[in-house]
Amino acid sequence: MSTEVSNVEELAIKDYKYGFQTEIETDVIPKGLSEETVRAISLKKDEPEWMLEWRLKAFRHWLTITKENEPAWANISYPEVDFQDIIYYAAPKQKISLNSLDEVDPELLKTFEKLGISLQEQKRLTGVAVDAVFDSVSVTTTFKAELSKLGIIFCSMSEAVQEHPDLVKKYIGSVVPYTDNFYAALNSAVFSDGSFCYIPKGVRCPMELSTYFRINTSGTGQFERTLLIADEGGYVSYLEGCTAPMRDENQLHAAVVELVALDDATIKYSTVQNWYPGNSEGLGGIYNFVTKRGACRGKNSKITWTQVETGSAITWKYPSCILQGDNSVGEFYSVAVTNNRQQADTGTKMIHLGKNTRSTIVSKGISAGKSNNSYRGLVRVHKKAENARNFTQCDSLLIGDKCGAHTFPYIEVANKSAKVEHEATTSKIGEDQLFYLRQRGIAMEDAINMIVNGYCKDVFRELPMEFAVEAQKLLSISLEGSVG
Amino acid sequence: MLTVKDLYVRVEDKEILKGINLQVNRGEVHAIMGPNGSGKSTLANVIAGKEGYEITGGEVTLDGKDLLDMLPEERAREGVFLAFQYPVEIPGVSNASFLKTALNEIRKHKGLEELDAMHFLKFMKEKMKMVGIDDNLINRPVNQGFSGGEKKRNEIFQLQMLQPTLAVLDETDSGLDIDALKVVSHGVNLFRNKDNAVVVVTHYQRLLNYIVPDFVHVLVSGRIVKSGGKELALELEDKGYDWVTNTVPAAETV
Amino acid sequence: MENTRSKDWYISSFKKIEESLNGESKTPFHELRKNAISKFEEFDFPTIKNEEWKYTNIAPLLKYNFKQVTGVKISKKDIEKFLIPGLKVNLAVIVNGNYVPELSHFYKQPSGVRIESFRNMVLNDPEFLMKYFGKYASIDNGFVALNTAFAFDGTVLYVPDGAIIEDYIHILNVSGAEGENVLSQPRNLVITGSNSKVRIIESYHSMADNENLTNVVNEVIVGENADVEIYKLQNENMKSFHVNRTQAYQNRGSVFTHYSVTFGGSIVRNDTNTLLDAENCTGNLYGLYLTEGSQHVDNHTLIDHAKPHCQSNEMYKGVLNDSSRGVFNGKVFVRVDAQKTNAYQSNKAILLTSDAMIDTKPQLEIYADDVKCSHGAAIGQLDEEAVFYLRSRGIGEELARTVLIRAFANDIFETLTSQILHDHLNHIVYAKLK
């Protein structure tokens, strides 16, 4: 209850509060993309041969699909991205291996403190283990020792390639192959770092795992790769947060996230995406083109995606579930807020392959200013997927008469025992509700926030407490100035 | 305290209020009665600042301040409270957090310190007991899934919480059974004191058995055609609205 | 490969016809056809790469070289079986795309009403025709281009201000000729004045058992406060290919109601669109498709809210048997400034077998804020509780299911004003779902 009230108080914050840049020495591979760039990244990370080979295969594939095949079907528009004008690798200069947090550049620690992410384990009150990714590389991972007692591996992707090559080899690209799409191919070739997590059989991860992404260096693209595996009976709740400095230029973020849930395993993946959205005129901001997919490989497995998307100039992402295992469950809960000139085209895919698979989609889109917000989703029931069930609820709320709200659901059913229900509504924010709140003394903007927060309740409920509070604050901030 | 002077209001092309004059002082309870479509609810909404009404003439002031010039929330902070005829449902927004925000906004306006969660909770519990409202309703989203009676009770609870100087009750009795009516009236009676005022808008005399007015005004076709003491309500109940419309045509033509 | 050959075939057919036109080929009207054939050349036939044709592969129809056929003899008796029993209608008969006056008949109409063949209009009153022709059904794909290029015949209906046409106008289309793959491309134009009213039945049937292609374009202008209803009934043979574009344009205060009922055809594609281009319009689109065998039925609808204070209702239902496939793509578009729009859309489908498939894509594209729009889609089985209820009252399971499926389908017809039409359609549903 108090969270709602406090978010209203937070309204004093007018601007993007994460817009600062950290002055830190960085190690950068010059702009441009070629086979040399890919080799250079791999060399920097001292990768084994197989990893480099995989990258090169992806890169060669990417070359065959450039330009014309850059996805164009989404309901978004943006100037052509010049892939030669991007820095593909930028890392804070620091010692190669860190023995303790004391060796991390204090500037970096400060940056994360400023973002509200403390990397000092003793300072963390709640049990959240953090992997902090700064530009292209993982800076540090907290609580590693404690987690490793349970056999849980939680580290940066670079480290996993060195330390756990078998696991990485087995699973990387197994959910999102590099042939999947344009950006997945690009990411596979040049991914710099990201988080890796493995939950062993029967282990319930006792704390929230979290990755915090920060783009700092100007002109860089961020291409992180996250791989998360929950072995039989495992459970993990994973959080992801992102911010970037304010800049006039557009920066590209093209991540790949792969989740694998084996028999009886559960993965909850929550994202609060707050990349810099650009200014009110649409100048600057992050292009957030992300491929996220989870495979419910085992029977009775479950993957839940929860996302709160308030940032980025353009968001293009569809966290999906492949429901292979019998009785597996996929869930997608999303709040996407667009204001000013932001564009979002987001949703999910639920691919029902196994028997008795179930999926739930709850999407809340809020458009304000001159923004455009689209839900795009696919529910596919394959011929062999007996007794599949899907329920989809897609609601759009419009604030102001210059924005757009769109719904593009695709439903493909090839099994007669399937039951698929889809409901969608689009409406204006309720005049009666606004008047009611204002009659009780609440100002217009606060009243809007209250109503919007209430509207998104079904999604916030799915977030871990800490994140829910953060999400609600973000919502108010991103709706700033949405009323004339 | 509340002064309505020669108020003319239109909705689209239709004139709804045609020169209303009303003086409400502290410590007074006024009842505004009238048949359906006479303009009662319009008057209540105009005082609270609802959109969609065009004020074509006259003024409304509260302690000399021009209400018509204020935003709805400013009027609320100045002490105007409207108990709605049809309280709207607001999904996902809990009653308690809504009230905490509203109360603190009003306190801020009055230059009072905002209540923190603990003090707010204590204050709320007191008022809940007073109005006879249970926890369950407090933690639910505003009015969502409430019965008609629960919604009205929630309005009175808010009245107690926010302690306005002017309470306008718009058809608060509609849709209530006799028990609910007693509870609601009790809440209003607890509220009234020498420093505040209540305007009860109603179609029926019934409510006035429980909230006894000092003055009764009869509104017909956008005009107050008769004013009197509480006995006027009984007379109306007895003779019906035709009685006033028939007996005072002369007044209308003046 | 196939596609290119097909394209050339139609272009050369066009050239051949053009040569036989004599003076007509010099007319301004023919310029419109020439423009259309060059558009066809540009568009070609759609492929599944086109988002609007994603779920409908028309490759099978490119295997045939359909041609226009004239002079097929058909008697009144042949037509009779296609009529709706007991329903009094004004009848316009189109055989293989050509209007046949001998088989058509009309009751006395209010003065100023014109019902005549498109061919007549082209020859005798092209100025009138050109005021409306092609102004509404824009050429946005190969099929509309092809129909426009081959716009020679069909039916033109003009209802002046205030005229009310009492009886239904039944435009009855029959296609087929022994040993031929017939191409029928009727072009119909309905123009209604203010405060007028007309109800039209548009039905399609086959004579021979061959593969035919019917490619229709209808343009319907609904006058101010006019009330226009169209009942489209597709009952061609199971080898037929059928493509239908209906584009309505609504003026202030008008009501346009369209029913699309599909029983026959191998590949059927309907594009039913209405543009609500003035305030206080109502657009109603209803549809039912019952498919079997390897039928493929694709219903695309577009409700385009361009002005404020309009409402639209849409309900499409399908029952799919055997290995048939259904597609529903319904788009509600609310343009900037179309405030106070109220749009409701629903589509439901039941798959009867494990080989049947349905792809559906209900869409809302909204650029105005003060709107109430919703859509719902449900794909699934019968309500098992309802099945149980009927069984508990002594009805056998199979019959219980049949009864419920019929009820599901017939629901679409509940709003029909004509009891006779209602009963006729119920009867077909009954026979289909035995």
Side-chain angles (χ1 to χ4, degrees):
Chain A
M1 152 201 117
S2 59
T3 60
E4 263 165 19
V5 181
S6 68
N7 89 62
V8 173
E9 291 155 3
E10 285 287 333
L11 270 162
I13 309 160
K14 287 278 177 200
D15 294 314
Y16 186 74
K17 72 166 178 173
Y18 308 103
F20 60 87
Q21 184 182 352
T22 307
E23 290 304 327
I24 196 162
E25 262 195 283
T26 41
D27 177 14
V28 166
I29 294 180
K31 275 182 186 176
L33 182 55
S34 65
E35 211 167 291
E36 282 321 299
T37 322
V38 177
R39 284 181 191 279
I41 293 170
S42 189
L43 189 67
K44 284 256 180 225
K45 307 186 92 58
D46 195 20
E47 284 178 349
E49 191 59 26
W50 61 267
M51 196 72 251
L52 173 64
E53 278 310 308
W54 193 75
R55 285 177 181 275
L56 289 172
K57 263 196 255 169
F59 178 71
R60 286 167 198 146
H61 177 75
W62 182 76
L63 286 178
T64 67
I65 52 170
T66 41
K67 294 296 177 212
E68 311 84 71
N69 294 35
E70 199 182 330
W73 41 262
N75 194 23
I76 53 180
S77 61
Y78 56 95
E80 216 173 273
V81 176
D82 182 354
F83 293 96
Q84 295 307 330
D85 196 33
I86 291 173
I87 295 170
Y88 288 85
Y89 183 87
K93 265 190 190 150
Q94 58 177 26
K95 286 175 201 160
I96 300 301
S97 68
L98 294 167
N99 295 320
S100 82
L101 217 55
D102 301 340
E103 293 173 41
V104 177
D105 188 321
E107 272 299 311
L108 262 180
L109 288 180
K110 257 193 258 164
T111 299
F112 283 94
E113 292 286 350
K114 244 179 168 172
L115 295 169
I117 314 292
S118 171
L119 300 177
Q120 314 276 3
E121 291 181 20
Q122 66 275 21
K123 281 196 192 162
R124 300 295 298 185
L125 294 173
T126 43
V128 179
V130 179
D131 182 26
V133 177
F134 192 86
D135 282 341
S136 300
V137 298
S138 170
V139 178
T140 182
T141 310
T142 59
F143 289 102
K144 254 163 110 170
E146 198 174 327
L147 291 169
S148 72
K149 278 182 211 149
L150 293 163
I152 295 171
I153 304 167
F154 182 44
C155 61
S156 71
M157 197 67 184
S158 323
E159 195 180 327
V161 170
Q162 306 292 343
E163 307 291 327
H164 311 281
D166 294 347
L167 282 172
V168 175
K169 229 184 201 168
K170 183 169 174 191
Y171 290 107
I172 196 167
S174 76
V175 186
V176 181
Y178 60 75
T179 50
D180 192 80
N181 69 62
F182 184 85
Y183 291 106
L186 180 62
N187 174 287
S188 302
V190 303
F191 78 87
S192 41
D193 214 335
S195 302
F196 175 84
C197 174
Y198 173 79
I199 308 290
K201 274 186 196 172
V203 171
R204 194 183 162 86
C205 183
M207 60 179 83
E208 307 277 353
L209 301 186
S210 168
T211 302
Y212 200 92
F213 295 104
R214 173 79 180 169
I215 297 180
N216 192 59
T217 308
S218 165
T220 36
Q222 182 150 322
F223 304 92
E224 83 273 358
R225 190 152 190 123
T226 298
L227 177 57
L228 214 157
I229 304 130
D231 211 327
E232 291 172 24
Y235 168 91
V236 62
S237 170
Y238 194 92
L239 320 172
E240 176 192 77
C242 359
T243 58
M246 287 160 70
R247 288 186 200 290
D248 290 349
E249 61 184 20
N250 293 110
Q251 280 176 285
L252 181 64
H253 173 248
V256 170
V257 175
E258 295 178 279
L259 312 183
V260 179
L262 301 180
D263 287 1
D264 304 301
T266 297
I267 300 175
K268 275 177 79 86
Y269 196 101
S270 312
T271 305
V272 173
Q273 187 266 106
N274 185 30
W275 296 117
Y276 178 55
N279 70 7
S280 61
E281 298 307 311
L283 190 64
I286 303 288
Y287 291 165
N288 188 34
F289 300 157
V290 172
T291 307
K292 290 185 168 180
R293 195 174 303 157
C296 283
R297 275 207 191 135
K299 61 180 195 318
N300 308 319
S301 56
K302 180 176 175 182
I303 290 179
T304 302
W305 294 101
T306 307
Q307 61 173 24
V308 176
E309 302 283 319
T310 60
S312 296
I314 300 175
T315 299
W316 179 94
K317 68 180 262 205
Y318 314 92
S320 306
C321 296
I322 319 269
L323 304 167
Q324 289 166 280
D326 291 350
N327 313 318
S328 60
V329 177
E331 293 177 333
F332 175 76
Y333 300 94
S334 169
V335 166
V337 185
T338 53
N339 195 359
N340 298 318
R341 297 196 183 257
Q342 281 178 274
Q343 305 175 62
D345 194 296
T346 184
T348 184
K349 292 181 190 177
M350 292 290 173
I351 312 293
H352 292 259
L353 299 169
K355 292 189 178 73
N356 306 315
T357 47
R358 281 175 294 143
S359 62
T360 303
I361 299 170
V362 176
S363 163
K364 306 277 180 180
I366 295 121
S367 326
K370 291 176 179 163
S371 68
N372 269 297
N373 200 332
S374 301
Y375 167 84
R376 187 182 304 276
L378 168 67
V379 175
R380 179 183 286 154
V381 178
H382 273 260
K383 205 169 153 47
K384 299 245 163 72
E386 291 292 326
N387 293 316
R389 294 285 177 268
N390 163 268
F391 175 76
T392 302
Q393 177 75 47
C394 273
D395 297 318
S396 305
L397 195 64
L398 294 145
I399 303 174
D401 60 1
K402 299 277 187 300
C403 52
H406 319 296
T407 317
F408 305 102
Y410 295 69
I411 304 167
E412 303 174 2
V413 178
N415 185 299
K416 69 165 178 165
S417 62
K419 218 172 216 174
V420 177
E421 281 175 86
H422 172 98
E423 284 171 17
T425 62
T426 302
S427 57
K428 187 186 175 177
I429 191 160
E431 296 281 359
D432 289 351
Q433 295 173 338
L434 280 175
F435 179 61
Y436 190 88
L437 295 177
R438 294 174 74 192
Q439 208 300 304
R440 297 298 183 249
I442 299 168
M444 183 73 150
E445 201 147 286
D446 298 345
I448 288 177
N449 270 325
M450 263 197 166
I451 292 168
V452 171
N453 266 319
Y455 182 80
C456 300
K457 202 79 184 192
D458 291 347
V459 174
F460 291 156
R461 220 197 305 278
E462 297 297 323
L463 287 171
M465 189 53 194
E466 235 185 305
F467 254 38
V469 177
E470 168 93 9
Q472 293 185 3
K473 285 182 193 166
L474 278 179
L475 209 69
S476 335
I477 294 163
S478 58
L479 286 173
E480 277 292 324
S482 61
V483 272
Chain B
M1 180 178 51
L2 175 73
T3 309
V4 179
K5 237 188 243 167
D6 216 17
L7 182 68
Y8 283 81
V9 175
R10 298 171 78 95
V11 173
E12 285 166 2
D13 290 336
K14 215 177 149 211
E15 191 136 67
I16 309 286
L17 298 182
K18 305 164 189 168
I20 298 286
N21 288 291
L22 186 66
Q23 177 63 40
V24 179
N25 301 311
R26 281 175 207 278
E28 292 177 355
V29 174
H30 288 243
I32 295 179
M33 302 183 68
N36 290 332
S38 59
K40 302 187 300 285
S41 286
T42 298
L43 179 60
N45 287 333
V46 165
I47 293 172
K50 189 168 181 173
E51 278 173 32
Y53 298 95
E54 191 193 345
I55 317 292
T56 52
E59 58 183 58
V60 181
T61 57
L62 188 75
D63 293 327
K65 288 183 196 158
D66 181 7
L67 278 186
L68 298 180
D69 203 32
M70 294 182 201
L71 295 172
E73 57 267 37
E74 290 168 347
R75 301 181 197 206
R77 293 169 196 169
E78 286 291 338
V80 177
F81 181 94
L82 174 64
F84 287 79
Q85 183 176 4
Y86 304 108
V88 66
E89 303 191 358
I90 309 177
V93 176
S94 89
N95 235 336
S97 73
F98 147 65
L99 270 174
K100 182 173 176 242
T101 310
L103 181 64
N104 279 333
E105 287 292 338
I106 292 169
R107 289 178 69 93
K108 237 184 339 194
H109 181 76
K110 289 182 182 164
L112 297 171
E113 208 179 309
E114 292 182 37
L115 290 187
D116 62 19
M118 221 172 62
H119 287 92
F120 172 76
L121 220 63
K122 197 165 156 261
F123 178 64
M124 186 170 72
K125 292 272 183 209
E126 274 167 38
K127 296 295 180 184
M128 282 165 68
K129 229 191 209 157
M130 197 185 253
V131 184
I133 198 162
D134 58 81
D135 280 353
N136 165 32
L137 289 191
I138 294 302
N139 294 320
R140 273 170 39 199
V142 180
N143 295 321
Q144 205 182 19
F146 288 22
S147 69
E150 286 171 336
K151 283 183 184 170
K152 295 297 171 71
R153 204 181 292 191
N154 192 23
E155 294 293 289
I156 300 308
F157 169 61
Q158 291 174 28
L159 175 70
Q160 280 295 350
M161 289 290 294
L162 303 179
Q163 290 292 324
T165 43
L166 174 71
V168 181
L169 314 181
D170 188 9
E171 307 268 4
T172 294
D173 51 334
S174 70
L176 293 187
D177 63 23
I178 194 73
D179 293 329
L181 191 67
K182 281 183 186 166
V183 173
V184 165
S185 309
H186 176 65
V188 175
N189 287 328
L190 281 174
F191 165 75
R192 48 191 295 197
N193 63 35
K194 62 177 180 26
D195 296 320
N196 62 32
V198 179
V199 175
V200 182
V201 173
T202 183
H203 183 93
Y204 301 105
Q205 188 271 336
R206 190 176 69 146
L207 178 67
L208 305 180
N209 288 335
Y210 301 96
I211 305 172
V212 181
D214 303 301
F215 300 95
V216 174
H217 311 276
V218 183
L219 189 64
V220 177
S221 309
R223 290 186 177 91
I224 291 177
V225 295
K226 203 169 174 60
S227 296
K230 63 183 173 209
E231 58 295 337
L232 178 58
L234 291 166
E235 207 171 346
L236 261 182
E237 174 82 350
D238 199 32
K239 300 181 178 169
Y241 284 109
D242 287 348
W243 166 66
V244 255
T245 36
N246 293 335
T247 52
V248 283
E252 277 210 46
T253 54
V254 174
Chain C
M1 260 328 271
E2 213 85 75
N3 213 331
T4 322
R5 245 183 22 219
S6 227
K7 180 170 147 184
D8 294 345
W9 162 259
Y10 292 103
I11 292 168
S12 69
S13 302
F14 180 83
K15 295 226 167 90
K16 252 182 248 158
I17 292 172
E18 196 171 39
E19 280 159 21
S20 68
L21 280 180
N22 299 322
E24 195 183 330
S25 65
K26 305 282 186 299
T27 61
F29 184 82
H30 188 69
E31 282 303 311
L32 300 176
R33 293 189 191 122
K34 274 161 62 177
N35 175 44
I37 199 74
S38 64
K39 288 239 174 105
F40 171 73
E41 204 166 350
E42 187 186 314
F43 278 115
D44 201 342
F45 287 104
T47 67
I48 53 168
K49 281 191 186 146
N50 180 331
E51 178 70 19
E52 296 299 315
W53 294 80
K54 180 177 161 77
Y55 295 118
T56 297
N57 186 356
I58 57 140
L61 76 85
L62 304 178
K63 289 186 202 142
Y64 301 91
N65 286 334
F66 296 104
K67 53 178 182 241
Q68 298 201 298
V69 173
T70 49
V72 173
K73 283 279 165 274
I74 184 165
S75 69
K76 277 204 160 136
K77 211 167 161 3
D78 294 327
I79 293 298
E80 238 163 56
K81 60 174 181 278
F82 302 133
L83 292 171
I84 292 156
L87 191 70
K88 189 181 171 201
V89 295
N90 297 291
L91 185 65
V93 176
I94 312 281
V95 176
N96 293 333
N98 302 306
Y99 188 95
V100 185
E102 308 86 79
L103 296 172
S104 307
H105 66 78
F106 301 97
Y107 296 99
K108 188 169 167 13
Q109 297 301 334
S111 72
V113 171
R114 296 173 75 173
I115 311 176
E116 49 191 287
S117 76
F118 190 92
R119 186 82 199 122
N120 255 352
M121 280 277 186
V122 173
L123 297 175
N124 303 321
D125 198 353
E127 290 79 17
F128 176 85
L129 195 61
M130 284 172 68
K131 265 198 276 181
Y132 306 100
F133 173 80
K135 294 278 197 304
Y136 304 93
S138 58
I139 299 179
D140 51 16
N141 70 41
F143 285 106
V144 177
L146 202 61
N147 175 287
T148 310
F150 286 76
F152 288 95
D153 213 343
T155 310
V156 178
L157 170 64
Y158 175 75
V159 185
D161 291 355
I164 289 168
I165 298 191
E166 289 295 333
D167 301 306
Y168 285 84
I169 291 181
H170 187 167
I171 303 174
L172 194 155
N173 297 268
V174 186
S175 295
E178 282 306 331
E180 301 275 9
N181 296 122
V182 179
L183 173 65
S184 305
Q185 300 206 75
R187 178 82 179 206
N188 303 312
L189 192 55
V190 175
I191 304 133
T192 61
S194 59
N195 301 300
S196 64
K197 182 175 174 163
V198 62
R199 292 174 297 175
I200 299 163
I201 296 167
E202 178 197 349
S203 72
Y204 297 88
H205 314 270
S206 305
M207 280 184 303
D209 192 27
N210 295 347
E211 294 81 1
N212 302 316
L213 170 60
T214 304
N215 177 30
V216 194
V217 173
N218 299 312
E219 289 175 287
V220 183
I221 296 112
V222 188
E224 273 190 29
N225 300 312
D227 183 356
V228 175
E229 295 180 12
I230 294 180
Y231 303 85
K232 192 220 163 199
L233 178 60
Q234 152 62 359
N235 220 348
E236 289 172 309
N237 72 34
M238 291 300 189
K239 292 180 182 166
S240 294
F241 301 103
H242 182 96
V243 181
N244 184 305
R245 160 71 62 93
T246 296
Q247 176 68 54
Y249 178 87
Q250 295 189 242
N251 287 293
R252 183 182 296 266
S254 65
V255 180
F256 175 69
T257 305
H258 189 275
Y259 285 84
S260 173
V261 181
T262 303
F263 297 127
S266 159
I267 294 177
V268 176
R269 163 66 178 243
N270 294 311
D271 277 280
T272 309
N273 305 339
T274 182
L275 171 60
L276 295 84
D277 203 20
E279 296 192 9
N280 298 314
C281 294
T282 301
N284 302 311
L285 303 184
Y286 304 109
L288 175 69
Y289 48 102
L290 305 183
T291 60
E292 58 193 45
S294 57
Q295 278 183 285
H296 180 111
V297 174
D298 178 347
N299 282 300
H300 265 60
T301 65
L302 168 62
I303 296 182
D304 187 349
H305 284 272
K307 295 281 153 63
H309 296 283
C310 293
Q311 54 169 327
S312 62
N313 304 291
E314 184 168 6
M315 160 98 95
Y316 265 74
K317 284 187 163 189
V319 179
L320 298 118
N321 206 347
D322 304 330
S323 58
S324 63
R325 191 168 171 190
V327 179
F328 173 80
N329 186 315
K331 182 161 168 178
V332 173
F333 191 71
V334 179
R335 300 198 204 180
V336 176
D337 298 333
Q339 302 293 5
K340 305 281 177 194
T341 291
N342 215 327
Y344 172 79
Q345 183 196 82
S346 158
N347 82 86
K348 294 183 176 174
I350 290 181
L351 305 181
L352 296 179
T353 69
S354 47
D355 290 325
M357 272 169 82
I358 174 82
D359 296 308
T360 164
K361 189 180 168 199
Q363 302 168 71
L364 298 172
E365 208 166 323
I366 294 167
Y367 295 93
D369 68 326
D370 194 1
V371 300
K372 277 198 188 109
C373 302
S374 66
H375 68 219
I379 291 148
Q381 302 159 288
L382 291 173
D383 179 357
E384 288 303 320
E385 273 179 46
V387 174
F388 178 74
Y389 183 85
L390 293 182
R391 291 174 72 188
S392 75
R393 296 292 179 266
I395 299 167
E397 181 173 355
E398 205 168 319
L399 182 58
R401 288 184 186 281
T402 310
V403 165
L404 289 171
I405 291 167
R406 281 181 194 142
F408 170 84
N410 281 327
D411 183 41
I412 287 287
F413 305 129
E414 282 312 300
T415 46
L416 283 190
T417 43
S418 157
Q419 190 62 40
I420 295 172
L421 194 56
H422 181 272
D423 292 351
H424 176 69
L425 291 168
N426 276 195
H427 184 77
I428 301 179
V429 168
Y430 186 91
K432 272 259 180 187
L433 301 170
K434 47 204 172 300

